[in-house]
Amino acid sequence: MAALVTSCELTPRLYLTVRTEPGSMVRRVLVKVYSPVGGDAALTDGTIERAIDPEHPLEMRVLGRVGGERVRLTVDGLSNGDTLIHQEWVASMPSEGGAYLQIVLWNNCLGRPCGAGTTCASSGECVPNTVATLPASPADASLGFCPDGSAGACRIVGDAGVADATADRATGFDARDEDVGRPIDRPMADVQDAGTDAPSDAGVDGPTDAGVDGGRCPGRSPTMLPGWTSCGVGWCPTLCGDAGSCVHAERLVQGRDHGCALRSDRGVSCWGEHEVGRLGDGVVDGGLTAVPVEVVRAVSRMPLSSVVALGAGDNGTCAVDQAGGLFCWGDFNADPLGNENQSGYAATVARRMLRGDAGAPANLFEGAATHLALTCGVVRGGGVRCSSWVRFLADGTTEIIPRAADFPLTDIARSDGAALTNVRELGVGFFHACARLADGSVWCWGTNRYGQLGAPLVGSDGGGVGASDRARQIPGLTGVTSLGVGDFFSCALAGGEVRCWGGASLGRAGSSIGLVDCADGNECAPVPVSVEGLAELSDAYRSPVAQVAAGGEQACARLANGHVWCWGLNEVGQLGLPTTGAGRVESRAGVQGAPVFEGADDVVTGGAGGASGRSWTCARRASDCTWWCWGRVPGESAPPAEPWRPRVLRWAP
């Protein structure tokens, strides 16, 4: 997480973001900043020209101005040297900290092309590109230029809006690590949702308000972006709430053929395949949907509410509400529903996890995680409780339990006999699980067939570690701040370095160093190995790694500056790279020379692994809270021609 700046560093600065729409003819953008407003000489540090496309907005900042000073900006959208769009704006520098100006260059107005010399306003009408008269007063500056100099005639031109952050302390920006033209660092929350790669505040010091991002995500913004939803006279990146407010997707979790989002209003929406009740809307099999539907309770059919944590797995999802209740929907081999392994088509109380035996801890939870063989809950004020259809044996094998009624239900203990408490993150793979504790240590349990426990395999040098139903500490990892658990491997961020262990075939570990041959002819990393290339990227961009995420056959790291880099299998473009096809592997980060996504404050990756072709990755863009996904994304009837390119997650038809 970026360090907070001190008061002496809170010099006024203006952050500017310029975007284009899909299909735009604009290929480059030229921005110039003038001060004084009526001057003809642009500021040296306020001039930038750069290639632009919908996935790579231009972001810059203007420094060294005086608080309250008004500056004029000109924005030109270029194609083959010709100016297609010209806009002019006046904005006031904040008294201290940062102010934010977003401009969108539109060639099309709600599907209707704008003619020469015009651009699209938030009214949905094509308006002249340039209005020459200055605003009548600084109060009118955020509206752009006024045609006749009067405040009453001011129009929003080109969909720009200004928001004042008042101080960097409110957003966590670190000006010392930020250069003009680089994405703004918006650090993620320190804690992540149990069982997913997505951050959460659950499982730390009790449930926290899921609306933590509400103060910075755009609400009723005049800025129209691809995939946004019309909310009265404004636009929202996700859904319209009460009185036209915006409801944002703060957390994203991924299964095999579905995804779910924890919204800022504490509701849950899911998309993908309806089969076996994956989407939690009570529909048994309603085909595919690319637009998220709301999860409802099984009995009342009322929307699931007050959710503070979310975790998705192979075919199902579990949520924890503010009262500590655990609700699940979909199909579970590990059967937390307690109904003989049948599907739950809407959110159902996870009866199996409610343990009523004498001396059991209170049935209150603060996190959840699930996958193929395990469903686990973080018990409020206690440890971790898991249900499973396998029993892990000390000789390294697993015993399959045929009847759900006989599935083991275990409160996980550490190898030293102590309870597994103070859990900050919990992730579940196919046959193993890992937890990051408050002291920065990582503990894993389950099978060690591919080195998932970070220990030598059975039979190596006459010894080795088999499966374990007790959590074993991963050696050599201290001060861990982010954890990602994939199908057969895991990765952790410690001291600015990402290290992975477990199944290393298909480039999962991000390294070809320190691997050994293991089961089924695969390569394994029985001890954590460093992901190659990340240290060089961190040095080159002068930005530390802030987050790691692991999925089916791939993993990704997010730098503090918002860059996302991935490694592993890229069969369907899940790494965000054009080198797709069977067996296309990148065994180190940064092979492409450019990040797969910029401006992110969160990244999640999942799916069922390369064999199914259902792998995908998503990142949230910090500037507007929209989620962008690439790879084989659930809900798409067919993959696009270029599946590696990020597509905005839609929230309305």
Side-chain angles (χ1 to χ4, degrees), residues 149-206:
S150 66
C154 276
R155 295 182 298 182
I156 298 176
V157 180
D159 301 325
V162 174
D164 186 1
T166 68
D168 286 335
R169 289 189 182 90
T171 57
F173 289 145
D174 186 350
R176 293 166 296 185
D177 294 334
E178 195 174 310
D179 287 341
V180 172
R182 291 193 177 175
I184 298 170
D185 171 21
R186 296 182 186 271
M188 59 175 282
D190 182 51
V191 183
Q192 296 186 345
D193 269 343
T196 74
D197 303 319
S200 166
D201 300 304
V204 190
D205 298 314

Side-chain angles (χ1 to χ4, degrees), residues 69 319 449 541:
E69 179 182 358
R449 184 175 179 82
Y541 288 95

Side-chain angles (χ1 to χ4, degrees), residues 257-466:
D257 292 305
H258 77 289
C260 294
L262 171 56
R263 308 190 312 253
S264 59
D265 63 352
R266 297 185 180 180
V268 178
S269 294
C270 300
W271 74 99
E273 290 189 5
H274 268 101
E275 186 182 0
V276 299
R278 291 186 184 96
L279 306 192
D281 61 347
V283 177
V284 177
D285 188 1
L288 292 172
T289 176
V291 178
V293 296
E294 189 164 35
V295 175
V296 298
R297 294 178 182 262
V299 177
S300 67
R301 297 293 168 170
M302 296 296 291
L304 185 64
S305 59
S306 301
V307 175
V308 296
L310 198 63
D314 199 44
N315 290 317
T317 304
C318 292
V320 176
D321 68 7
Q322 194 169 25
L326 180 62
F327 297 84
C328 299
W329 59 95
D331 189 57
F332 294 87
N333 289 334
D335 195 26
L337 303 177
N339 57 3
E340 289 298 318
N341 210 28
Q342 296 300 308
S343 301
Y345 300 119
T348 305
V349 176
R351 294 186 296 274
R352 177 160 188 80
M353 304 295 287
L354 296 183
R355 263 181 76 152
D357 52 318
N363 296 315
L364 300 177
F365 295 86
E366 51 189 26
T370 185
H371 205 3
L372 180 69
L374 290 166
T375 295
C376 299
V378 181
V379 180
R380 184 182 294 181
V384 176
R385 180 176 302 157
C386 295
S387 177
S388 177
W389 54 267
V390 300
R391 183 177 285 111
F392 303 108
L393 305 179
D395 63 0
T397 62
T398 55
E399 177 187 359
I400 305 301
I401 310 299
R403 292 196 322 134
D406 298 327
F407 288 177
L409 186 64
T410 307
D411 288 325
I412 303 299
R414 304 191 328 186
S415 56
D416 58 8
L420 189 68
T421 58
N422 297 316
V423 174
R424 293 299 185 263
E425 290 183 71
L426 176 68
V428 172
F430 257 55
F431 293 99
H432 80 291
C434 296
R436 174 175 70 88
L437 307 189
D439 61 6
S441 62
V442 173
W443 299 70
C444 300
W445 62 98
T447 182
N448 196 44
R449 184 175 179 82
Y450 302 104
Q452 295 100 312
L453 304 187
L457 310 175
V458 167
S460 57
D461 298 326
V465 174

Side-chain angles (χ1 to χ4, degrees), residues 341-640:
N341 210 28
Q342 296 300 308
S343 301
Y345 300 119
T348 305
V349 176
R351 294 186 296 274
R352 177 160 188 80
M353 304 295 287
L354 296 183
R355 263 181 76 152
D357 52 318
N363 296 315
L364 300 177
F365 295 86
E366 51 189 26
T370 185
H371 205 3
L372 180 69
L374 290 166
T375 295
C376 299
V378 181
V379 180
R380 184 182 294 181
V384 176
R385 180 176 302 157
C386 295
S387 177
S388 177
W389 54 267
V390 300
R391 183 177 285 111
F392 303 108
L393 305 179
D395 63 0
T397 62
T398 55
E399 177 187 359
I400 305 301
I401 310 299
R403 292 196 322 134
D406 298 327
F407 288 177
L409 186 64
T410 307
D411 288 325
I412 303 299
R414 304 191 328 186
S415 56
D416 58 8
L420 189 68
T421 58
N422 297 316
V423 174
R424 293 299 185 263
E425 290 183 71
L426 176 68
V428 172
F430 257 55
F431 293 99
H432 80 291
C434 296
R436 174 175 70 88
L437 307 189
D439 61 6
S441 62
V442 173
W443 299 70
C444 300
W445 62 98
T447 182
N448 196 44
R449 184 175 179 82
Y450 302 104
Q452 295 100 312
L453 304 187
L457 310 175
V458 167
S460 57
D461 298 326
V465 174
S468 176
D469 59 2
R470 289 195 170 193
R472 299 175 53 90
Q473 185 173 2
I474 303 299
L477 291 180
T478 59
V480 174
T481 56
S482 181
L483 174 68
V485 179
D487 283 359
F488 301 103
F489 72 111
S490 302
C491 298
L493 169 63
E497 182 182 23
V498 175
R499 301 169 68 187
C500 302
W501 65 97
S505 297
L506 305 177
R508 297 183 190 97
S511 176
S512 57
I513 302 172
L515 306 184
V516 300
D517 293 333
C518 62
D520 308 318
N522 291 305
E523 290 182 316
C524 295
V527 296
V529 296
S530 296
V531 174
E532 298 178 50
L534 273 182
E536 293 84 349
L537 292 171
S538 181
D539 291 341
Y541 288 95
R542 293 185 296 164
S543 183
V545 180
Q547 179 193 3
V548 61
E553 309 281 3
Q554 73 276 13
C556 298
R558 176 180 61 85
L559 303 189
N561 67 358
H563 286 189
V564 174
W565 308 82
C566 302
W567 60 94
L569 186 66
N570 194 50
E571 192 170 30
V572 290
Q574 60 265 45
L575 303 187
L577 304 176
T579 54
T580 59
R584 298 311 297 262
V585 170
E586 303 296 352
S587 58
R588 56 176 285 141
V591 296
Q592 200 62 8
V596 300
F597 196 85
E598 299 182 43
D601 66 353
D602 189 17
V603 59
V604 296
T605 185
S612 71
R614 297 186 182 98
S615 293
W616 48 302
T617 304
C618 298
R620 187 171 76 163
R621 192 163 62 186
S623 58
D624 56 28
C625 296
T626 52
W627 284 89
W628 297 72
C629 304
W630 54 94
R632 179 74 180 275
V633 180
E636 293 180 335
S637 57

